[in-house]
Amino acid sequence: MNSANTATRDIGILIFEGFQLLDAAGPITVFEMPVRGLNPPPYRLTVYSLPGGPVKSSSGISMHSESLPAGLTLDTLIVSGGEGTRTAMRDGAMMSAIRDLSVRTRRTTSVCSGAFLLAAAGLLDGRKATTHWRRCPDMTRHFPAVQLDADRIFVRDGKFWTSAGISAGIDLALALVEEDLGEDVARHSAREMVVHQRRQGGQSQFSVMQDVKLASGRFDTLIAWIQANLGCELKVEQMAEQAKMSPRNFARVFRAETGTTPARLVEKLRLEAARERVEMTGISLQEIAQQTGFGDAERMRVSFMRAYGQPPMVLRRQRRG
């Protein structure tokens, strides 16, 4: 990897007492990867805080920081999140510093609950944003002018990028690297970090399988079969046959094992697969509906409205917008 024409961009990571360590360390590591292979280095990384010096994270481990100099200009500002945001968002000096920095910054971004600091500074009013799923109700209550998308890994609205909980900061940083240096460099950085998959911002913070208990692993093979056959009818009788059980016993044991019914799980898996195709591909809605077992686009639209409150085409436009 070599790029003699790569300009060096100043990346500033803003931390505060009680910040989440990975909110800072994750993006820092992402931006470190291309620095190792490109000359001149594409990024110069600096950790800042208002006072400078060591700043204690929520884990008790401290990170060294530089004090914020007057008139600092950055390419990208990354505001960390963490439990300390609850205090930091009431700090007038912090809010003023974030507003001033953002004016002189090409991109203003946040990780996890760092979005609360951007919102408290008035930078997200009328803008689309996201944050950690657990903090979304608080965000809506405190900052109703923010157009919160609680289900996204990261959201971009103009120069402002916000991301979901903790590890989503890595996804956000990889997207920033891709915008700056191209997909190949971002992919290389992901491989160097042994990141299993570089997730796109439009993906959900959640996976259906996170909500399924699967305590014993008894139905793992069956669920894999369901995921591979979403385009089929998938009646309870068919699933029971795959599980080598009677339909009645299967329905009872499945619910006890997973916390949901077979039909409900199939519906959720179909919605998840359909939404991923809607947002990540240009396949027609009719074809997606057939691939994922909805049968036709209208039936899929009704299911999307019920589950997400928006039709597939709106979600597709938002993803591309």
Side-chain angles (χ1 to χ4, degrees):
M1 295 169 57
N2 181 50
S3 178
N5 298 319
T6 301
T8 300
R9 300 167 173 85
D10 282 302
I11 309 295
I13 299 90
L14 183 61
I15 62 175
F16 44 85
E17 289 290 324
F19 75 100
Q20 165 59 239
L21 193 61
L22 188 58
D23 285 2
I28 287 170
T29 304
V30 171
F31 287 112
E32 176 194 355
M33 293 300 111
V35 169
R36 296 176 178 180
L38 297 177
N39 185 32
Y43 297 115
R44 181 166 42 241
L45 299 164
T46 309
V47 177
Y48 293 102
S49 68
L50 288 187
V55 177
K56 186 176 292 187
S57 71
S58 58
S59 69
I61 295 175
S62 295
M63 179 177 285
H64 179 76
S65 67
E66 303 293 331
S67 61
L68 276 174
L72 175 65
T73 298
L74 295 171
D75 176 84
T76 302
L77 169 65
I78 301 174
V79 178
S80 300
E83 288 300 311
T85 56
R86 301 176 192 275
T87 298
M89 63 190 283
R90 296 191 295 271
D91 184 335
M94 173 69 83
M95 295 300 97
S96 179
I98 290 174
R99 282 192 293 269
D100 291 346
L101 272 171
S102 183
V103 170
R104 296 186 300 275
T105 296
R106 180 171 68 92
R107 295 181 301 211
T108 300
T109 77
S110 65
V111 180
C112 194
S113 54
F116 278 75
L117 302 186
L118 300 187
L123 299 178
L124 298 182
D125 287 356
R127 297 187 181 278
K128 293 181 289 185
T130 194
T131 189
H132 191 289
W133 62 269
R134 195 183 298 278
R135 299 291 300 275
C136 284
D138 285 343
M139 175 70 84
T140 300
R141 183 168 59 255
H142 290 296
F143 305 107
V146 177
Q147 298 176 21
L148 190 65
D149 191 341
D151 195 39
R152 304 295 82 194
I153 291 174
F154 64 83
V155 170
R156 178 183 186 180
D157 190 328
K159 66 178 278 183
F160 296 93
W161 302 58
T162 54
S163 64
I166 308 178
S167 66
I170 293 174
D171 301 291
L172 171 65
L174 286 166
L176 298 176
V177 169
E178 180 172 334
E179 181 182 63
D180 294 341
L181 305 176
E183 184 177 353
D184 288 345
V185 175
R187 186 183 300 113
H188 173 82
S189 297
R191 285 200 304 266
E192 286 294 302
M193 294 178 66
V194 199
V195 176
H196 176 65
Q197 181 178 354
R198 189 172 57 84
R199 302 175 293 176
Q200 299 296 323
Q203 283 184 237
S204 173
Q205 290 192 40
F206 311 101
S207 165
V208 170
M209 298 315 300
Q210 287 178 279
D211 293 329
V212 176
K213 291 185 292 187
L214 293 177
S216 69
R218 179 174 185 174
F219 292 112
D220 288 358
T221 301
L222 172 65
I223 290 173
W225 177 84
I226 292 171
Q227 290 173 313
N229 291 277
L230 289 175
C232 301
E233 194 170 3
L234 295 178
K235 291 183 176 180
V236 171
E237 290 78 10
Q238 293 172 294
M239 290 184 277
E241 183 179 354
Q242 283 290 320
K244 296 179 173 56
M245 301 171 69
S246 70
R248 184 173 180 178
N249 190 44
F250 166 69
R252 179 183 61 79
V253 176
F254 188 90
R255 182 160 193 165
E257 283 280 318
T258 67
T260 190
T261 66
R264 182 63 178 148
L265 179 66
V266 169
E267 180 184 14
K268 287 183 176 182
L269 289 171
R270 281 180 169 148
L271 279 165
E272 183 174 74
R275 181 166 183 169
E276 181 177 359
R277 287 167 170 81
V278 165
E279 295 182 334
M280 304 301 171
T281 76
I283 300 172
S284 73
L285 299 185
Q286 181 62 31
E287 187 174 350
I288 291 172
Q290 292 172 346
Q291 290 176 353
T292 54
F294 287 102
D296 62 71
E298 176 58 22
R299 183 181 170 194
M300 184 172 75
R301 187 192 70 81
V302 171
S303 294
F304 268 57
M305 290 298 297
R306 185 169 58 247
Y308 306 125
Q310 298 183 86
M313 280 307 298
V314 170
L315 292 173
R316 177 169 277 180
R317 285 196 297 269
Q318 287 177 347
R319 171 68 181 95
R320 296 177 177 181

